[in-house]
């Protein structure tokens, strides 16, 4: 298992380019199951999760070819059973359910189970497919959905904490080949849903309203192949913005779409960070004094849960108390105890709220990454801390950040990947 060795106390400076969005490319790859024809997906990030989705599609019979940042997928002869040993490794793989159901009339996929950030149920995905006429059965750890014919319907996808991103993706992918009109209410508004809708529209689907809480889909009989460029990763852009701010650096982030980053930029501004918005760039130019801010995670366009951990690392540097409330996932504070190992003072109250008493100097230590975004927070803290930090288990980081060690090194971060047995 590789570790990242970080010598703290650097100032990040220079230019960095954000890769394609992990959470956009995964459902888009699954959507290629909807047609026999070839789909060309450009700007696909070279990440273990993306290669893994390729393996899952190949296990279903699709031909998947990677060439640099392009993936070509042809799903001529496919079957509908997604194996437990593959599916359990990546929660995002649940988005093969909708396309398999639409294309084959049956999908049998191992239940993804929970993960370190929470229990992660799929009841809303299944509710949506039932509304389109599918029969749902859970047997021996597998969810089996089948329908002789899918028929459009009104589907409400709001859950306990709001809409579901992959649930919206799944229902949208099932509805594009259903008979008649589907209206998804309380749909997720994330930019990754808009990108998926654009891909499906390129395949011949009729979709209106993606990016708003109401998505209308007129089913079509058949879809065809297409070519599509994946949007840049807004969470990677936010992570570099926070890292640049935390190290009081000066970093021009190419591929940052500021319209996808509104809530993050608002909080960075409140925290005293200076930046300039460009058309497809964000230029972070540091901060004189960091100010504490209160952050509550919400569905888009609110503050993203995927940037909560990184923001917490920044808040340890302010002179004052910040309150961070996690409203999307119930146990997404695994980074707190590891940040404490670096000297941060953070208390968790009632499970969903973290009180960060900033201003204590951070000093390097060995820390353990528990999930993707927690790892990013530890890297940011390590860049600032005095001395050496070793972030262990960085395979989490490799799931969602393309060549992050090289990108940081190019910005002047003293970061080295260490191979461990
Ligand atoms: N939920 C339900 N029932 C469902 C589905 C979701 O109750 O059927 C709940 C979840 O338990 C959670 C909330 O709804 O409390 C939101 O979950 P959502 O379904 O929106 O999450 P997701 O689609 O499984 C995607 C991203 C996550 C990101 C979340 C929220 C992918 C592959 N994953 O997950 O990304 O945190 O949306 O924005 O797109 C990450 O990249 O690090 C990551 C975890």
């Amino acid at each position: 298992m590789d570790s990242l060795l970080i010598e703290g106390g650097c100032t990040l400076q220079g230019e960095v380019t954000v890769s394609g969005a992990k959470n956009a490319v995964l459902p888009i790859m699954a959507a290629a199951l909807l047609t026999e024809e070839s789909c060309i997906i450009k700007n696909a990030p070279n990440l273990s999760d993306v290669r893994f989705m390729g393996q899952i599609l190949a296990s279903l019979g699709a031909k998947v070819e990677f060439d640099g940042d392009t993936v070509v997928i042809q799903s001529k002869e496919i079957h509908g059973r997604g194996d437990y040993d593959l599916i359990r490794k990546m929660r995002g793989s649940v988005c093969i359910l909708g396309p398999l159901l639409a294309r084959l009339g049956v999908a049998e996929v191992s239940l993804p189970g929970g993960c370190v950030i929470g229990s992660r149920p799929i009841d809303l995905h299944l509710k949506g497919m039932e509304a389109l006429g599918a029969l749902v059965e859970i047997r021996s750890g597998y969810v089996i959905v089948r329908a002789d014919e899918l028929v459009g319907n009104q589907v409400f996808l709001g859950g306990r904490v709001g809409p579901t991103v992959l649930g919206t993706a799944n229902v949208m992918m099932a509805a594009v080949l259903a008979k008649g009109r589907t209206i998804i209410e309380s749909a997720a508004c994330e930019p990754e849903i808009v990108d998926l809708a654009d891909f499906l529209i390129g395949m011949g689907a009729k979709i209106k309203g993606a990016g708003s809480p109401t998505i209308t889909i007129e089913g079509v009989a058949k879809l065809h192949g297409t070519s599509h460029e994946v949007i840049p990763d807004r969470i990677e852009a936010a992570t570099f913005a926070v890292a640049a701010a935390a190290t009081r650096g000066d970093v021009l982030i190419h591929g940052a779409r500021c319209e996808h980053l509104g809530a993050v930029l608002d909080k960075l501004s409140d925290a005293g960070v200076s930046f300039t918005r460009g058309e497809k760039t964000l230029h972070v130019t540091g901060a004189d004094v960091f100010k504490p801010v209160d952050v509550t995670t919400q569905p888009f366009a609110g503050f993203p849960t995927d940037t909560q951990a990184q923001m917490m690392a920044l808040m340890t540097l302010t002179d004052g108390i910040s309150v961070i409330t996690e409203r999307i996932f119930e146990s997404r504070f695994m980074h707190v105890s590891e940040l404490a190992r670096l000297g941060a003072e953070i208390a968790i109250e009632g499970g969903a709220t973290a009180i960060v008493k900033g201003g204590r100097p951070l000093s390097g230590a060995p820390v353990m990454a528990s999930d993707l975004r927690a790892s990013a927070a530890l890297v940011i803290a390590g860049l600032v801390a005095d001395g050496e930090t070793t972030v262990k288990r960085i395979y989490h980081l490799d799931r969602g950040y393309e060549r992050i060690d090289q990108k940081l090194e190019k910005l002047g971060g003293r970061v080295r990947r260490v191979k461990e047995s």
Side-chain angles (χ1 to χ4, degrees), residues 163-301:
T164 158
V165 178
L166 288 176
T168 302
N170 248 334
V171 176
M172 194 158 74
M173 290 190 279
V176 285
L177 289 178
K179 197 170 155 198
R181 175 179 299 174
T182 297
I183 300 175
I184 305 178
E185 292 176 317
S186 196
C189 301
E190 270 67 5
E192 292 76 19
I193 292 294
V194 179
D195 206 32
L196 172 62
D198 286 344
F199 179 74
L200 292 167
I201 291 166
M203 295 173 86
K206 293 189 176 155
I207 302 173
K208 291 218 164 88
S212 82
T214 307
I215 302 178
T216 306
I217 302 146
E218 300 287 349
V220 296
K222 214 171 163 125
L223 295 174
H224 51 74
T226 189
S227 172
H228 178 83
E229 186 166 330
V230 175
I231 53 168
D233 197 311
R234 65 190 165 103
I235 305 300
E236 188 190 354
T239 302
F240 276 111
V242 175
T247 61
R248 296 176 191 279
D250 184 330
V251 177
L252 180 63
I253 306 168
H254 293 281
R257 294 243 189 121
C258 293
E259 70 272 24
H260 295 166
L261 292 167
V264 173
L265 295 182
D266 185 55
K267 289 298 170 190
L268 287 179
S269 169
D270 288 352
V273 177
S274 315
F275 55 82
T276 314
R277 294 173 161 94
E279 210 178 301
K280 287 184 181 163
T281 57
L282 174 68
H283 189 181
V284 178
T285 46
D288 291 333
V289 182
F290 291 125
K291 290 179 261 180
V293 292
D294 293 345
V295 173
T296 300
T297 63
Q298 287 171 333
F300 191 80

Side-chain angles (χ1 to χ4, degrees), residues 7 11 55 93 112 158 173 189 226 258 293 335 358 389:
E7 183 64 43
T11 300
Q55 275 179 38
S93 57
M173 290 190 279
C189 301
T226 189
C258 293
V293 292
H335 41 285
T389 296

Side-chain angles (χ1 to χ4, degrees), residues 55-82:
Q55 275 179 38
I56 292 175
L57 299 183
S59 79
L60 297 169
K63 263 200 214 154
V64 183
E65 280 168 21
F66 288 93
D67 181 10
D69 67 355
T70 299
V71 195
V72 181
I73 302 171
Q74 188 178 20
S75 313
K76 208 164 190 147
E77 279 167 28
I78 54 165
H79 63 83
R81 188 178 158 92

Side-chain angles (χ1 to χ4, degrees), residues 301-331:
F303 193 92
T305 173
D306 294 342
T307 314
Q308 177 258 109
Q310 300 88 314
M311 197 65 184
M312 189 181 291
L314 181 65
M315 288 304 97
T316 65
L317 310 177
T318 70
D319 239 339
I321 295 178
S322 302
V323 179
I324 299 187
T325 307
E326 172 56 56
R327 287 226 192 282
I328 306 296
F329 291 112
E330 73 255 30
S331 44

